[in-house]
């Protein structure tokens, strides 16, 4: 892997979830032990305090539970679920619930809204059984998803968040979980509902059950905010009060997490102070793509076929009004070569100078790759195994053409699959770069005279291993 180190960008920012050690940046005064503010579109962290401190989540655990259930449902919210004995009775006395009964047949959608709006622990148990077959199976799926998201500081012991010493998370992990949950079809509708939800009578319950939103930031009072779109809260004696918010204003979508607030009212006061400050002090910055580009050899069957072009695109990010884009550093990470049929991921990372207003590590973004189709179109490389000596020359030509066509189609399929791995957020942009020289590039096949056949070799490019 080649690393191209650069310095003194004129302008650059990006979207990603990398941050330095937990620090308290200048911002509002809050009582919570830890908090974080993340751009919901890009994952960029713009504010934080003790964001990596391991704490108890309480009922914000249910964000993971609900999202996994919706991911499995694939829009089939009319799915009928039968409430088990364990779902009802594996709860401590006084636990929040929606009065589910053993043997009751309920709709998945009703259980989801009961879990969100009433923070129903019996509902969370039912969802866990739906996800994993048993409550423990659902918990195992939750831990597997946390691991898949790269979260080393989150561990679940149950699907609802009741206290267990081994049931924990961090503000940063919760923001990542919530950002993923918002990408699951149907989650945002449930997470953002403020109107009451009515659950119709079932085989066990002859009366309707009505669930209500209790988020003061979205319904009424001194903490009402027009930017507040969705939330989930939690509480128990060890976690104290926890709160996750989703907010949107002027095209900026934010996720905030507050952990270990002392009192019920504190979580609303802290969330309002944090988000008021964020929307007032951060703005979206559009940055054009830089002129810098790198050539990377394209290799197939052990031969160098030509060169691909690797370059960044434009970027969008959030910047505190007290900062400028001067002095940002850039680090390119580009593989030595592009091997056909193998993943190729080139990226660039960005860092702000140390400051008191937002995290310095801004993250990384993928670089675009172009010129592959032209390399393949100009290449005369044909796998030796496709050629049959002492056969009809026409057959040999057909086999060679088929091999080239398969190579082109395979490359296009690989590029299509690779696009799925590219982050949907913005990529970096315009800056003046001081760096090592780009990789030396040999002339591309199409740049040679048309009446000359590009050389073929069974050796790898010089200097590569």
């Amino acid at each position: 892997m080649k690393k191209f180190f650069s310095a003194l960008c004129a302008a650059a920012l990006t979207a990603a979830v990398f941050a330095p050690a937990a620090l308290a940046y200048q911002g509002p005064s809050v009582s919570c032990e830890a908090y974080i503010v993340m751009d919901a579109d890009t994952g960029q962290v713009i504010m934080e305090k003790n964001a990596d401190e391991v704490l108890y989540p309480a009922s914000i655990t249910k964000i993971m539970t609900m999202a996994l259930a919706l991911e499995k449902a694939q829009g089939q919210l009319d799915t009928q679920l039968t409430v088990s004995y364990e779902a009802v009775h594996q709860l401590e006395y006084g636990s929040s619930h929606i009065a589910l009964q053993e043997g009751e047949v309920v709709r998945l959608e009703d259980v989801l809204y009961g879990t969100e709006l009433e923070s129903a622990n019996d509902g969370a148990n039912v969802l866990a059984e739906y996800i994993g077959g048993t409550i423990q199976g659902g918990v195992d799926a939750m831990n597997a998803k946390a691991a898949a998201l790269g979260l080393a500081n989150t561990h679940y012991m149950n699907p609802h968040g009741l206290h267990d010493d081994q049931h924990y998370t961090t503000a940063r992990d919760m923001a990542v979980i919530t950002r993923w949950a918002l990408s699951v079809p149907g989650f945002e509708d449930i997470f953002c509902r403020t109107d009451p939800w009515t659950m119709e009578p079932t085989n066990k319950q002859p009366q309707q059950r009505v669930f209500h939103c209790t988020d003061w930031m979205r319904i009424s009072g001194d903490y009402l905010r027009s930017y507040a779109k969705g939330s989930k809260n939690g509480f128990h004696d060890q976690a104290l009060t926890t709160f996750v918010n989703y907010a949107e204003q002027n095209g900026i979508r934010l996720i905030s997490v507050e952990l270990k607030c002392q009192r019920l009212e504190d979580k609303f006061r802290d969330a309002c102070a944090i988000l008021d400050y964020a929307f007032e002090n951060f703005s979206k910055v559009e940055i054009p793509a830089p002129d810098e580009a790198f050539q990377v050899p394209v290799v197939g069957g052990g031969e160098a076929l030509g060169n691909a072009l690797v370059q960044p695109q434009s970027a969008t990010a959030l910047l505190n009004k007290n900062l400028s884009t001067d002095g940002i550093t850039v680090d390119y990470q580009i593989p030595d070569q592009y091997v056909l049929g193998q993943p190729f991921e080139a990226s660039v990372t960005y860092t702000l100078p140390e400051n008191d207003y937002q995290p310095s590590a801004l993250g990384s973004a993928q670089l675009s790759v172009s010129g592959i189709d032209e390399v393949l179109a100009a290449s005369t490389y044909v796998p030796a195994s496709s050629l049959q000596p002492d056969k009809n020359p026409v057959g040999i030509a057909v086999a060679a053409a088929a091999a080239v066509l398969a190579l082109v189609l395979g490359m296009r399929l690989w590029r299509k699959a690779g696009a799925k791995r590219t982050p949907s957020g913005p990529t970096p942009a315009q800056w003046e770069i001081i760096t090592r020289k780009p990789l030396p590039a040999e002339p591309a096949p199409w740049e040679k005279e048309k009446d000359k056949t590009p050389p073929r070799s069974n050796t790898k490019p010089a200097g590569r291993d």
Side-chain angles (χ1 to χ4, degrees), residues 2-12 290 292-294 312 327-334 347-353 367 428-438:
K2 291 284 186 184
K3 295 187 74 173
F4 299 92
F5 296 98
S6 347
L8 297 179
C9 301
E292 185 77 353
F294 299 92
I328 296 176
T329 58
V330 180
D331 176 11
Y332 284 96
Q333 294 183 317
I334 303 175
S347 64
V348 59
T349 61
Y350 313 95
T351 306
L352 276 168
L367 305 179
Q430 181 69 37
W431 41 75
E432 180 181 352
I433 298 173
I434 301 173
T435 181
R436 286 197 292 163
K437 293 178 63 177

Side-chain angles (χ1 to χ4, degrees), residues 107-440:
R107 293 173 64 248
L108 174 60
E109 188 172 32
D110 291 331
V111 178
L112 285 163
Y113 277 109
T115 303
E116 162 64 25
L117 296 173
E118 297 294 336
S119 202
N121 294 329
D122 52 355
N125 278 345
V126 171
L127 293 179
E129 291 181 330
Y130 170 65
I131 295 164
T134 63
I135 293 175
Q136 185 58 52
V139 173
D140 291 343
M142 295 165 68
N143 284 317
K145 175 57 73 172
L149 292 172
L151 309 181
N153 294 316
T154 293
H155 185 260
Y156 298 107
M157 294 296 290
N158 59 63
H160 37 65
L162 291 175
H163 180 65
D164 187 294
D165 286 344
Q166 297 304 310
H167 189 102
Y168 52 80
T169 191
T170 66
R172 191 183 312 281
D173 283 7
M174 276 307 311
V176 173
I177 291 166
T178 304
R179 184 172 179 238
W180 161 73
L182 286 167
S183 73
V184 176
F187 181 87
E188 188 173 335
D189 292 337
I190 294 171
F191 197 59
C192 297
R193 187 178 181 90
T194 54
D195 293 335
W197 178 265
T198 300
M199 180 177 178
E200 297 299 332
T202 68
N203 63 319
K204 293 281 188 176
Q205 298 274 19
Q207 296 181 334
Q208 292 180 332
R209 280 164 278 191
V210 182
F211 311 140
H212 300 274
C213 175
T214 58
D215 181 357
W216 298 355
M217 293 178 67
R218 291 187 285 149
I219 52 177
S220 65
D222 295 339
Y223 300 111
L224 182 65
R225 295 293 189 274
S226 61
Y227 58 64
K229 304 302 179 186
S231 68
K232 184 72 192 78
N233 60 69
F235 172 82
H236 60 61
D237 290 342
Q238 292 79 13
L240 300 182
T241 302
T242 61
F243 205 20
V244 176
N245 305 93
Y246 167 55
E248 181 177 2
Q249 182 172 277
N250 298 327
I252 297 175
R253 301 167 64 238
L254 299 178
I255 296 165
S256 73
V257 180
E258 294 81 39
L259 297 181
K260 205 171 185 180
C261 303
Q262 295 298 312
R263 300 174 302 169
L264 172 66
E265 189 171 352
D266 289 340
K267 72 179 180 184
F268 296 113
R269 182 183 296 109
D270 287 353
C272 286
I274 290 166
L275 288 169
D276 285 351
Y277 179 91
F279 283 120
E280 180 181 349
N281 288 275
F282 286 84
S283 60
K284 189 174 291 187
V285 179
E286 298 289 341
I287 306 169
D291 296 329
E292 185 77 353
F294 299 92
Q295 288 187 331
V296 176
V298 178
V299 177
E303 294 194 23
L305 306 179
N307 296 301
L309 190 65
V310 179
Q311 58 189 3
Q313 302 174 5
S314 60
T316 303
L318 301 178
L319 185 66
N320 189 289
K321 67 181 183 181
N322 293 293
L323 300 176
S324 73
T325 54
D326 295 338
I328 296 176
T329 58
V330 180
D331 176 11
Y332 284 96
Q333 294 183 317
I334 303 175
D336 291 334
Q337 57 189 15
Y338 189 126
V339 181
L340 296 179
Q342 296 183 11
F344 179 88
E345 294 185 355
S347 64
V348 59
T349 61
Y350 313 95
T351 306
L352 276 168
E354 290 295 327
N355 68 89
D356 295 328
Y357 298 99
Q358 70 182 89
S360 295
L362 297 174
S364 65
Q366 301 292 355
L367 305 179
S368 64
V369 182
S370 60
I372 300 298
D373 288 342
E374 291 82 356
V375 169
L376 293 175
S379 176
T380 60
Y381 169 72
V382 179
S385 60
S386 68
L387 301 179
Q388 298 294 329
D390 304 323
K391 297 283 184 174
N392 188 314
V394 176
I396 295 175
V398 171
V404 173
L405 179 60
L407 188 63
V408 173
L409 292 176
M411 189 59 222
R412 290 179 176 172
L413 288 173
W414 181 88
R415 294 181 67 199
K416 183 177 181 182
K420 297 179 181 178
R421 292 192 296 272
T422 302
S424 59
T427 50
Q430 181 69 37
W431 41 75
E432 180 181 352
I433 298 173
I434 301 173
T435 181
R436 286 197 292 163
K437 293 178 63 177
L439 289 173

Side-chain angles (χ1 to χ4, degrees), residues 79-103:
T79 299
Q80 301 292 305
L81 307 176
T82 301
V83 179
S84 71
Y85 175 88
E86 290 76 18
V88 175
H89 294 282
Q90 280 191 7
L91 295 171
E92 63 188 45
Y93 178 78
S95 176
S96 58
H97 62 85
I98 51 174
L100 296 178
Q101 296 184 22
E102 180 185 355

